[in-house]
Amino acid sequence: MFSNLRRVVRRSYRRAVDLSHPARSPLGSAVVNCLVYRNGERQDGCADVGEALRRVRKTGDAFVWIGLHEPPQTELAGLAELFGLHPLAVEDAVHAHQRPKIERYDETLFAVFKTVRYVEHEELTATSEVVETGELMAFAGEDFVITIRHGGRGTLGPVREALEADPEQLAKGPVAVLHAMADHVVDEYVAVTDAVQNDIDDVETMVFSEHGGRGDAGRIYQLKRELLELRRAVGPLSRPLHQLSTQPITVIPPEMRTYFRDVADHLTRATDQIGAYDALLDSILQAHLAQVTVAQNEDMRKITAWAAIVAVPTMVCGVYGMNFDHMPELHWTYGYPLVLGVMAVACFVIYRGFRRNGWL
């Protein structure tokens, strides 16, 4: 009941902002927005990419934020030539499904983040999707930041709104946007990790319940697969974030390292939780398999006990079924009910013995 209540609360507080809607994408099929910021304030007017870059480099105290959604190679190649992006990074940005990473190309940082979302479901089954992933990429230079989104999830609308509400932080330039992206993604990791705990609690309750079903193994394996997908998104970011928070990098001002260190701490928390959950699921799976083995042994003992009981009348009937003339009590009037009584008493004695020993 409490897990369902938590799910309802999460649904009510989830913010859905989709900036890829055609009405908000007047700059082209892939360009979601092209914004100029000066001293942390958003400048009026919506210029094209070339005009925005000229305005920024003319004043020297601003930067341009370009948002893209699944750009084709031709469109991204034009931006790469305009901003001097490395061809290897551009190739990774066009083709999704990259490993999470943060790389440096001269004075430009290229970051790849895996976005995650918890998929709400009424009941966990052997085919339930628990974690849905997407991809965010970013190029951060001295006076520009280019963000690229792959998939239907992972919109940066909330990130942009939060940054615009904090002009002092936004005034720190493109690195502040990169930090806000990393912080947003890692916060989602923590939220999804906390949500997965509800499913683990449900599986644990089902396995250790009095009438735990033997089909729980499929749900446990499915949850482990979804947890593995979450680990693939979270784990690879640990080392790059540690480098951004500790090593001197020209693109990263010293005062921003503290912010990346905070993000790295949150990522460590999510990583530790995922590791603990995986170990817990291993224990739950082993306990479930042990329960199945015990149940099978109980079934075998019952089958063996009933086979032993049935063996007594079978043996007696088999003996008297032989065609011999000289057999004990064969021609006696009360021989038939006597044999039936002996079989019944023998079966009852064996049954009480198995019952006393817990086999039946």
Side-chain angles (χ1 to χ4, degrees):
M1 180 180 69
F2 291 104
S3 61
N4 292 333
L5 180 60
R6 286 194 293 266
R7 290 181 179 127
V8 172
V9 172
R10 283 199 305 271
R11 288 193 191 106
S12 62
Y13 280 95
R14 181 173 294 114
R15 302 174 62 186
V17 180
D18 187 6
L19 296 182
S20 64
H21 192 279
R24 300 187 181 183
S25 305
L27 304 175
S29 59
V31 179
V32 176
N33 53 44
C34 178
L35 305 172
V36 174
Y37 293 93
R38 178 175 292 109
N39 297 325
E41 298 291 340
R42 178 176 173 178
Q43 303 301 297
D44 295 332
C46 185
D48 60 23
V49 175
E51 177 62 26
L53 184 60
R54 284 191 292 271
R55 289 172 55 185
V56 165
R57 293 185 173 173
K58 181 178 180 180
T59 59
D61 59 349
F63 72 94
V64 58
W65 183 350
I66 302 171
L68 305 174
H69 179 240
E70 298 182 355
Q73 186 170 4
T74 54
E75 187 168 0
L76 193 57
L79 291 176
E81 182 178 358
L82 185 63
F83 290 94
L85 306 180
H86 198 280
L88 292 178
V90 173
E91 182 180 356
D92 289 344
V94 172
H95 303 93
H97 309 295
Q98 300 295 321
R99 188 173 184 268
K101 59 184 177 180
I102 299 178
E103 296 178 339
R104 179 183 175 186
Y105 295 94
D106 297 327
E107 299 302 319
T108 302
L109 288 178
F110 175 62
V112 178
F113 302 104
K114 286 285 187 181
T115 59
V116 298
R117 184 183 72 91
Y118 180 77
V119 180
E120 299 286 352
H121 48 272
E122 296 298 330
E123 182 181 359
L124 181 67
T125 65
T127 58
S128 295
E129 184 181 15
V130 179
V131 178
E132 181 183 6
T133 61
E135 203 159 342
L136 278 178
M137 302 178 181
F139 292 91
E142 182 180 359
D143 54 9
F144 69 90
V145 58
I146 302 173
T147 58
I148 303 168
R149 178 164 60 92
H150 288 275
R153 299 290 176 177
T155 177
L156 291 175
V159 176
R160 179 176 59 80
E161 293 171 3
L163 279 173
E164 290 181 353
D166 187 5
E168 183 178 354
Q169 181 71 8
L170 188 56
K172 295 177 182 177
V175 177
V177 177
L178 182 62
H179 162 263
M181 286 181 58
D183 188 54
H184 173 73
V185 170
V186 172
D187 284 346
E188 288 295 320
Y189 292 163
V190 175
V192 171
T193 303
D194 291 339
V196 169
Q197 184 178 2
N198 296 329
D199 291 311
I200 296 177
D201 292 341
D202 292 342
V203 168
E204 187 176 18
T205 301
M206 287 185 292
V207 168
F208 291 102
S209 64
E210 183 178 357
H211 304 288
R214 298 188 181 183
D216 291 335
R219 285 175 281 191
I220 298 174
Y221 277 117
Q222 177 64 16
L223 196 53
K224 282 183 66 67
R225 283 194 295 266
E226 295 296 308
L227 201 63
L228 177 61
E229 185 173 0
L230 182 59
R231 172 177 282 180
R232 288 172 178 169
V234 176
L237 273 182
S238 297
R239 185 175 179 182
L241 285 178
H242 178 73
Q243 292 176 343
L244 291 181
S245 62
T246 57
Q247 297 183 5
I249 300 176
T250 306
V251 187
I252 307 294
E255 64 271 13
M256 289 298 298
R257 294 178 197 164
T258 304
Y259 292 92
F260 283 105
R261 188 181 305 118
D262 180 69
V263 177
D265 290 340
H266 292 172
L267 183 69
T268 300
R269 174 197 164 187
T271 303
D272 292 344
Q273 279 186 305
I274 293 172
Y277 292 164
D278 189 57
L280 180 58
L281 283 176
D282 286 337
S283 301
I284 294 174
L285 180 60
Q286 292 300 321
H288 172 69
L289 295 178
Q291 286 179 333
V292 171
T293 301
V294 170
Q296 290 175 343
N297 290 338
E298 291 285 343
D299 294 341
M300 289 302 299
R301 289 202 301 179
K302 291 179 180 180
I303 294 172
T304 303
W306 284 112
I309 294 173
V310 173
V312 173
T314 302
M315 180 186 65
V316 175
C317 294
V319 171
Y320 276 88
M322 294 183 292
N323 296 321
F324 292 106
D325 291 331
H326 303 287
M327 294 184 68
E329 314 301 339
L330 186 62
H331 299 287
W332 184 39
T333 303
Y334 300 102
Y336 180 70
L338 176 63
V339 171
L340 290 180
V342 170
M343 287 191 296
V345 171
C347 291
F348 178 75
V349 171
I350 296 174
Y351 173 81
R352 286 299 299 271
F354 282 126
R355 184 82 172 177
R356 186 182 302 112
N357 293 325
W359 283 48
L360 289 174

